[in-house]
Amino acid sequence: MPTNTPRKIEAVHKTCRIIEILRERGEAGITEISKEMDFSKSAVHGHLATLNDEGLVVKDGHTYHLSLRFLDIAESVKARIAKRDVVREQVRTLAEETGEVVHFGAEENGRIVYLSKSKGNSAVETVSQIGKRMPMHSTSMGKAILAELPPDRTKAILEQYELTERTENTITDPDQLLDELDDTHERGFAIDKEENIPGIRCIGMAVSGPEANVFGALSVSGPSQRMTEERIKNGLSEKVAQAANVIEVNSMYS
């Protein structure tokens, strides 16, 4: 009987899993990967040899690590989202002006992915890093994007993933989150009230391209005692809006 489900290639799944293991561990040997995957050493060796031939991994003695080709791949992907030089400059400038941590991210498969990061002089260290994927419902960038997406897309994302409680302040009730997204849309920016990391508050604002298509978001994160409601509404929101506008205007000519 015909089916609309595409045929999946198990070997490709295994190759992707090997790449993920190398990303997580930095480097690993055949035996280590074999045990992790419960896969034969000879099969792992075959996958690694192929990846090495393609220039995607590098063999160093008895271990392997991802190659620098992934940097080129990553830059190409980021360029598809927005002009990376403009994004990088606005993220850096916003970090200098606010003194806090600034991120630019985009939604992919229902998650927010960090694409750029810069730290101001007063910034506190966070666990965020380029390429890291985070939930949409607990982050200011995620909520900012959800508030601007078409309702059916927002609904699909919220149904796809459980609203996991990351802190005691995380919104885990779908109806409450939808109310929060309505408020976010009305005021033009989202607020993460220690919903993702205890002690850290953030303001997030969606960034849109031609025809109001949302392609990313900016955020400013800092300690709760500095990220007060007054500072967010009467200072930071305007600075973030200015940076978002520069990215939006430049995206029209990319």
Side-chain angles (χ1 to χ4, degrees):
M1 185 174 181
T3 176
N4 292 325
T5 303
R7 185 170 65 90
K8 299 179 181 179
I9 310 300
E10 185 61 28
V12 177
H13 281 298
K14 288 184 169 64
T15 298
C16 291
R17 179 62 184 134
I18 289 172
I19 290 173
E20 183 63 19
I21 290 171
L22 293 177
R23 185 195 68 82
E24 292 173 348
R25 302 194 178 191
E27 63 178 19
I30 292 173
T31 300
E32 186 179 359
I33 296 172
S34 174
K35 289 180 179 179
E36 175 77 14
M37 298 179 63
D38 193 20
F39 201 36
S40 71
K41 293 181 182 179
S42 60
V44 170
H45 181 267
H47 283 271
L48 287 169
T50 303
L51 288 168
N52 186 56
D53 284 345
E54 292 297 324
L56 293 171
V57 303
V58 176
K59 184 178 181 181
D60 186 6
H62 297 292
T63 62
Y64 295 81
H65 61 263
L66 298 181
S67 81
L68 296 177
R69 272 199 65 191
F70 281 96
L71 291 176
D72 185 46
I73 294 171
E75 288 301 315
S76 297
V77 173
K78 287 193 288 184
R80 179 179 58 82
I81 304 298
K83 283 189 173 180
R84 58 179 179 267
D85 291 341
V86 175
V87 169
R88 188 183 300 116
E89 177 63 21
Q90 290 306 307
V91 168
R92 183 189 63 79
T93 299
L94 193 55
E96 289 179 352
E97 291 179 350
T98 63
E100 309 292 357
V101 177
V102 176
H103 295 101
F104 177 84
E107 180 267 327
E108 184 178 70
N109 293 330
R111 295 295 196 191
I112 191 74
V113 184
Y114 293 118
L115 300 178
S116 185
K117 176 182 179 180
S118 186
K119 296 188 295 184
N121 291 333
S122 302
V124 296
E125 189 56 66
T126 64
V127 296
S128 62
Q129 60 185 37
I130 305 304
K132 188 176 182 63
R133 295 172 178 271
M134 296 296 291
M136 301 280 283
H137 71 285
S138 61
T139 58
S140 64
M141 285 195 296
K143 290 195 291 183
I145 291 175
L146 286 172
E148 302 301 327
L149 287 175
D152 58 341
R153 176 59 181 149
T154 297
K155 180 181 178 182
I157 291 174
L158 298 184
E159 291 177 347
Q160 182 180 4
Y161 295 102
E162 180 183 357
L163 302 184
T164 307
E165 181 179 305
R166 295 183 60 83
T167 75
E168 62 181 17
N169 295 324
T170 306
I171 299 175
T172 57
D173 178 78
D175 291 333
Q176 184 181 351
L177 181 59
L178 288 174
D179 288 341
E180 171 76 5
L181 296 180
D182 286 340
D183 292 342
T184 295
H185 178 77
E186 185 171 338
R187 67 176 172 246
F189 58 87
I191 303 177
D192 162 10
K193 303 175 182 177
E194 299 186 52
E195 297 163 51
N196 199 54
I197 303 174
I200 300 294
R201 301 183 83 213
C202 316
I203 171 178
M205 189 172 294
V207 181
S208 302
E211 301 181 12
N213 294 319
V214 178
F215 62 82
L218 282 167
S219 72
V220 178
S221 307
S224 296
Q225 64 267 30
R226 288 206 301 260
M227 299 289 288
T228 62
E229 294 281 347
E230 181 179 359
R231 185 188 181 201
I232 288 174
K233 293 179 180 179
N234 299 324
L236 289 179
S237 61
E238 183 176 349
K239 286 182 169 63
V240 177
Q242 290 172 349
N245 183 249
V246 171
I247 297 173
E248 289 174 343
V249 168
N250 278 275
S251 74
M252 297 179 185
Y253 306 101
S254 61

